[in-house]
Amino acid sequence: MANKKLLIISPYFSPVNAADMQRIRMSLPYFKIFGWEAEVIMVHENYVDMVKDTLLLEAIPNDVPIHKVKALPKKWTSKFGLGSIALRSLWYIRKKGNQLLKHKNFDLIYFSTTQFPVCILGPYWKRRFNIPYIVDIQDPWHSEYYQSKPKKERPKKYWFSYRLNKYLEPKALKDVDGLISVSKAYIDTLHERYPMLKEKPKSIITFGAFESDFDIAKSKEGDLPVIYNKDDGFKHLVYVGRGGNDMSLSLNLLFKAFAQGLKNEPILFSQFRMHFIGTSYAPEGKGIKTIMPLAAQMGLADYIQEHTDRIRFYESIKHLQNAHGLIIIGSEEASYTASKLYPYILAKKPLLGIFHQESSAYKILSDCQAGQVVGITQGSEAIYQTFRSYIEDVTVSKQPFTNWEAFKPFTASYLTEKQTAVFEQVINLHQQKR
């Protein structure tokens, strides 16, 4: 029986180091095993001003066609306040999609991206070619989160993006044939807004753990720089990932525990340095620090460093491998899923996670026993004791006793099979309606 054909829309893709392309990058080696042949439409990396990492290409199977399209140059569109890659590339993705869908027999279209405006092509292609489509909800699309926040805490160009998302989301989702999401909360919100979606196939699928990345990083470790000096006599605790105001609660808990440790046991705790790396999505050299101001306010400026510039993907893995201990902080939102959680676990280092107790990241870390985890509503004394225990583990280089059998459902191969199960549901229902 011939494999089914899948067209994937992912504006950011390798070698661009973007979080929202990781699901597809890690799934491509396994789609064929589960009966699907994939092709990808992406925006050519020359039109993207994000960090590139050519090593990301090493995990892409050679037989997967990758179609690169143009985008309007940002130097033109920024004059009108439009820098979004989705809006700059929409016409070109539409053109390439039309060409492929006209001449090849695709069974399904899969939008896996946080560049959500491109998803409006779903209903257009469905009408024109009678091909079903699935949308992967990795983040909220239209969100009310910042409506109650002061203007200074809102993202740049919030006025425009809020109204655009509110307009486009219902248009893109009214005819969607299936949903995949990293969070049940995202699906629940969409069901509340659009009750007709309750009858459509859906699945909660987190990002996968991809062990091959550690082999690639290991083979290239001599070419991968590290921001801090591991051999300077200090114990280095590392977080690689974004910052932001929604992380302030987790950071407050962490810094209070650290400050208490310095007060109670200065000799022990003064050995430690914390590094927060790649905390801003802004272009290199233009990121605004969101972590150091809080550290300074709490008297911890001498112990904490923030490096706002994003680093290449395999550099981030090298930083995790090189650290004495790892810290991963989460949002105050229960729906938060940490896409980098699995590399932290695979690094096999002492690990401390700080998350909302209802988040999937909290549950995964707890169930797999891959490190110590703090809930953001725990009492300050309980949090300090957990942090103190973690510090002890780092001091003696104690690896977590990770339950790898419990971890298996979070591997890329397992989660790719879950995606293809939704694919099959969608095309079966579509065929029944013909």
Side-chain angles (χ1 to χ4, degrees), residues 7 57 70 94 121 135 142 172 197 202 297 320-321 351 374 377 423:
L7 181 61
L57 298 170
K70 297 179 180 179
R94 177 182 179 270
L121 293 170
V135 175
H142 170 59
L197 294 181
K202 59 188 174 295
Q297 183 182 326
L320 300 184
Q321 292 174 318
L351 173 59
V374 167
T377 60
F423 299 171

Side-chain angles (χ1 to χ4, degrees), residues 126 132 176-178 199-202 422-434:
K126 185 176 179 179
V176 75
D177 295 276
E199 306 304 317
K200 303 293 178 76
K202 59 188 174 295
V422 182
F423 299 171
E424 298 289 347
Q425 280 183 277
V426 165
I427 62 171
N428 287 340
L429 286 171
H430 184 71
Q431 288 169 354
Q432 290 171 19
K433 293 176 182 177
R434 284 182 173 178

Side-chain angles (χ1 to χ4, degrees), residues 94 98-99 102 122-131:
R94 177 182 179 270
N98 285 345
Q99 177 191 336
K102 182 177 180 180
Y124 162 71
W125 282 331
K126 185 176 179 179
R127 287 192 305 271
R128 182 169 178 181
F129 299 103
N130 194 30
I131 298 174

